[in-house]
Amino acid sequence: MSATTGRVRMSPESRREQLLDLGTRLLATRTLDEISIELLAEEAGISRGLLYHYFENLQEFHVAVVRRAVEDIYAITAPRDIGNPLDQLAVSLGAYVDYVSSNYTGYVSLIRAAAGGNEELRAIYQDARAALTDRIFEIAGPDHLAALGVVDSAATRLLVDGWAALVENVTVAWVQDPHGVAREDLLDRLALALPAIVTP
Amino acid sequence: MSATTGRVRMSPESRREQLLDLGTRLLATRTLDEISIELLAEEAGISRGLLYHYFENLQEFHVAVVRRAVEDIYAITAPRDIGNPLDQLAVSLGAYVDYVSSNYTGYVSLIRAAAGGNEELRAIYQDARAALTDRIFEIAGPDHLAALGVVDSAATRLLVDGWAALVENVTVAWVQDPHGVAREDLLDRLALALPAIVTP
C-alpha cells in the first residue's frame, strides 16, 4: 500500500468502509442533515456517482453512518477487566461521556433524528440501547445481581432502560454545560444511580 | 347558556378555548400530524375559515394545543396536601402515568416532535420540564432536602432532570407493556429513584 491510497485500486468493501469512515468523522462536527453530497465532495472529493455506487441514496448513507457510529459507541464502552462492577461501569460511562464530548454535534443530531420521526434510525437506536442494556446484565452477572438483591426481571430491565435515558440526558446536558460537576464526579453519580434505581 | 352552545354567540376568547379543548381532546387518540383541518371539520364542523380566524395556521394551532396539553400535565401533577414528600411524589407520578395512559398516542407524538426537529415545540417541552423540576425542589423544601443530605446545586438539578427523563422513558414503555409491573409498584420505584439518584 502506498501513501497515495486514494489512487490505488481499492476493493469495493474498502471503498465503502472509507466512505463510512469519512461520514462518521464528519458526524463529529456536523449534524446528519449537514452531511450532504456537496460536503462529501468538498471534504474528500467524493463525487455523487461514487456515493451512489455504494449506497442507494443519501438517506441510506446516513443510516449506514449512524449504524457505524452506534457500533463505535458499543465497542468503546465494552467492559474492561476490572474487578468491581461499579468501577467497570464508571470506566464504560467515561468512554461514553468522552465520545459525546468529541462528537457532540453529530451525536445530538443522531439522537434527535432517532427520537423524532425517522423510523429506521429509531430502530437502530433502540437496538443499540437494548444491546447496551443486555450487556449491563452480563457485566453484573447473576451472582453479583443476586448479592445486590436485584432480580433480572422484565421490571428491572424497564428500569435499566430508564437509567440509560437518564445517562444520555445528563451526559448531553453536562457536555453542553458541566454545571461545575467534575468528570469523575459525574461518572460516579451516573454509575451509583444504577444500583440505586434497580435495587428494590 | 342554552344546550346548543355551538349556536349562541361566543366571545372570541371562548371560541379559541373551545378550539383548543377540541384539539387537546383529539390529541388523546391522534398524533399531532393527524390533527388536520379535515379532521377538525369532520369531528366538530370547524371550517378552515374559523380556524384561521383564531390561529395563523395549522402549525400555530398545533403549538397552542401542545402548550395546553403541557399546562394540563403541570396542573394534574400539582402536589396535594400530603405530609410525606415521597408519598406526595408518588401521587403526582400517578397523575402523570394516568395522563400518559389516557393520551398515549398524542403524548408520544408530542415528545417525539419536541425531541425531533421542531424547535418551537422543544422550547415548550423544555420549559415544562424545567417548571416540573423547580416544583420538585419546592415540594421537598430546603429543610427536607438538608435532612436527606441533598444540596440544591446545579449538579443536583442536572440529576433531577435526568430523573425526569427516566420517568418519561419508563412510563411510556410501561403504558405500552407493563412487563408485569403493577401501577403502585411502578409509582413507588419511580418515586424512590429520585432520592436514590440525588443523595450523594
Side-chain angles (χ1 to χ4, degrees), chain A residues 3 7 12 15 25 27 55 79 105 125 132-134 137 149 196:
Chain A
R7 294 190 187 177
R15 183 60 100 179
R25 218 158 52 236
L27 193 60
F55 301 93
T105 305
Y125 173 88
L132 288 165
T133 307
D134 286 348
F137 287 93

Side-chain angles (χ1 to χ4, degrees), chain A residues 112 122 129 169 198, chain B residues 112 122 129 169 189 198:
Chain A
R112 283 187 183 176
R122 187 185 351 267
R129 261 276 269 275
N169 186 276
V198 295
Chain B
R112 284 188 182 174
R122 185 179 359 261
R129 262 277 267 276
N169 187 276
R189 302 293 289 254
V198 294

Side-chain angles (χ1 to χ4, degrees), chain A residues 112 115-116 119 122 129 154-155 158-159 161-163 165-166 169-170 173-174 179 181 189 193 196-198 200, chain B residues 112 115-116 119 122 129 154-155 158-159 161-163 165-166 169-170 173-174 179 181 189 193 196-198 200:
Chain A
R112 283 187 183 176
E119 293 298 333
R122 187 185 351 267
R129 261 276 269 275
L158 199 64
L159 288 164
D161 194 68
W163 172 79
L166 174 146
N169 186 276
V170 172
W174 181 82
H179 291 78
V181 183
R189 301 293 289 256
I197 291 164
V198 295
Chain B
R112 284 188 182 174
E119 292 298 333
R122 185 179 359 261
R129 262 277 267 276
L158 199 63
L159 289 164
D161 194 66
W163 172 79
L166 174 146
N169 187 276
V170 172
W174 181 84
H179 291 78
V181 183
R189 302 293 289 254
I197 291 163
V198 294

Side-chain angles (χ1 to χ4, degrees), chain A residues 149-185:
Chain A
V150 175
V151 183
D152 179 4
S153 64
T156 310
R157 288 188 181 244
L158 199 64
L159 288 164
V160 172
D161 194 68
W163 172 79
L166 174 146
V167 167
E168 182 183 281
N169 186 276
V170 172
T171 301
V172 167
W174 181 82
V175 170
Q176 204 172 32
D177 174 359
H179 291 78
V181 183
R183 181 177 174 282
E184 293 312 305
D185 188 25

Side-chain angles (χ1 to χ4, degrees), chain B residues 12 20 44 59 61 65 70 97 118 124 140 158-159 162 186 191:
Chain B
L20 286 176
Q59 163 70 3
F61 180 64
V65 166
V70 153
V97 168
N118 191 315
I124 295 172
L158 199 63
L159 289 164
L186 177 77

Side-chain angles (χ1 to χ4, degrees), chain B residues 111-139:
Chain B
I111 59 175
R112 284 188 182 174
N118 191 315
E119 292 298 333
E120 201 170 1
L121 295 185
R122 185 179 359 261
I124 295 172
Y125 174 87
Q126 286 186 333
D127 285 353
R129 262 277 267 276
L132 288 165
T133 308
D134 286 348
R135 203 167 58 185
I136 292 284
F137 287 92
E138 283 162 27
I139 295 173

Side-chain angles (χ1 to χ4, degrees), chain A residues 37-134:
Chain A
I37 299 278
E38 289 68 32
L39 183 70
L40 292 167
E42 201 177 290
E43 291 286 323
I46 306 296
S47 70
R48 188 176 287 267
L50 184 70
L51 189 84
Y52 290 167
H53 191 67
Y54 296 98
F55 301 93
E56 199 153 326
N57 50 42
L58 190 60
Q59 163 70 4
E60 202 203 282
F61 179 64
H62 284 171
V63 167
V65 167
V66 167
R67 195 170 278 129
R68 163 68 65 91
V70 154
E71 284 165 8
D72 287 349
I73 294 172
Y74 190 79
I76 59 166
T77 56
R80 319 295 163 80
D81 194 15
I82 300 168
N84 178 339
L86 265 186
D87 291 342
Q88 203 172 63
L89 188 57
V91 170
S92 289
L93 285 167
Y96 169 72
V97 167
D98 294 344
Y99 179 90
V100 177
S101 294
S102 308
N103 299 276
Y104 186 76
T105 305
Y107 183 74
V108 168
S109 87
L110 183 164
I111 58 174
R112 283 187 183 176
N118 192 314
E119 293 298 333
E120 203 169 0
L121 295 185
R122 187 185 351 267
I124 295 171
Y125 173 88
Q126 287 185 334
D127 284 352
R129 261 276 269 275
L132 288 165
T133 307
D134 286 348

